[in-house]
Amino acid sequence: MEVVSNIPFRPSHEIPGANDPILQSLEAYWQALRHARQIPSRNDIQPRQIDNALPHTFILQRISPGVARMRVAGQQLHDLLKMDARGMPIGTFFAPSARDEIIALVDTAFCEPAIIAVPLCVPGNIVRAPLTGTMLMLPLRDETGQTNRMLGAIVTEGPRGNRPRRFEIAKEMPLRHETLGVKLASAQSHPQPAHEKGPDATHPALRLVINNG
């Protein structure tokens, strides 16, 4: 897979999700929150400011290296899994063959930190149409300066069907990897164990992402 790292010099059709209005609006909001080019804080995120993107949006919490769980998940993510995604590891969205690679990419987004956009696919068969999409990851910091949260979204094209869909990484498409080049807290690569008390209890207003209506 090609890795697109020099974003300003690539045509938009070669950057995963670059022409998707949902991902464009979410990243524009995240970029607007960057003060002195630092990583935005988790507490900066206001659901009302990203209303159009909310059904596709998630917030990941990094529990430990290689382990990140959904703390907030929009209705469209629920529809992909056919169950509530909150509390689930990010690998739940992926086929077993792709899980090690996506976990490594998520860790990279946390640790560098970096913006990463991953092209996704679900191959079709005689009874199910193929599905394509993009997952965008945008790091968030906590009050100590660690990037242990991730604002992101998954958008898809194609019918989802009535059974869970598990993604593979589309190898024929480029992957966006944009290192942010900011100084991190010294404990960044070894986060403290997190208390798992339900979906993002530190900022419950973002539960509005879920719409079970």
Side-chain angles (χ1 to χ4, degrees):
M1 174 186 292
E2 179 186 6
V3 176
V4 177
S5 56
N6 201 5
I7 297 301
F9 300 100
R10 299 299 294 260
S12 61
H13 70 272
E14 296 184 13
I15 302 170
N19 295 321
D20 185 275
I22 292 169
L23 298 184
Q24 285 179 336
S25 65
L26 187 66
E27 183 172 346
Y29 174 70
W30 179 87
Q31 293 284 5
L33 294 175
R34 296 187 66 186
H35 306 295
R37 299 197 63 78
Q38 293 300 307
I39 302 298
S41 167
R42 165 67 180 85
N43 292 330
D44 290 337
I45 305 300
Q46 299 297 323
R48 290 170 295 188
Q49 301 297 316
I50 52 173
D51 188 61
N52 290 339
L54 283 179
H56 306 268
T57 298
F58 60 79
I59 289 181
L60 284 179
Q61 179 181 5
R62 191 177 190 227
I63 307 302
S64 62
V67 181
R69 294 185 181 275
M70 293 274 177
R71 289 311 183 200
V72 174
Q75 182 63 37
Q76 297 298 320
L77 306 185
H78 169 97
D79 290 346
L80 286 168
L81 289 183
K82 308 306 179 190
M83 62 181 178
D84 191 347
R86 294 176 298 175
M88 296 292 181
I90 185 62
T92 305
F93 285 87
F94 290 83
S97 60
R99 286 175 187 165
D100 287 348
E101 187 172 359
I102 199 65
I103 288 169
L105 289 169
V106 170
D107 261 2
T108 296
F110 278 117
C111 293
E112 287 192 359
I115 298 171
I116 290 181
V118 184
L120 308 175
C121 66
V122 181
N125 55 37
I126 59 173
V127 296
R128 304 182 75 181
L131 186 68
T132 61
T134 303
M135 182 171 78
L136 175 67
M137 294 182 281
L138 304 164
L140 299 173
R141 62 179 171 82
D142 66 10
E143 63 278 3
T144 71
Q146 296 189 67
T147 54
N148 55 19
R149 297 292 196 282
M150 189 76 63
L151 175 67
I154 297 175
V155 296
T156 60
E157 295 183 15
R160 294 175 185 167
N162 56 10
R163 299 180 63 186
R165 308 304 296 265
R166 296 292 190 271
F167 292 109
E168 298 179 9
I169 297 174
K171 300 296 186 180
E172 71 279 6
M173 301 290 291
L175 182 148
R176 177 184 176 190
H177 178 177
E178 186 176 350
T179 302
L180 295 170
V182 297
K183 187 175 181 180
L184 298 171
S186 59
Q188 176 65 39
S189 60
H190 300 286
Q192 294 296 316
H195 297 289
E196 299 190 46
K197 296 182 179 180
D200 215 15
T202 61
H203 206 306
L206 276 179
R207 291 180 185 174
L208 293 174
V209 173
I210 291 291
N211 176 9
N212 291 321

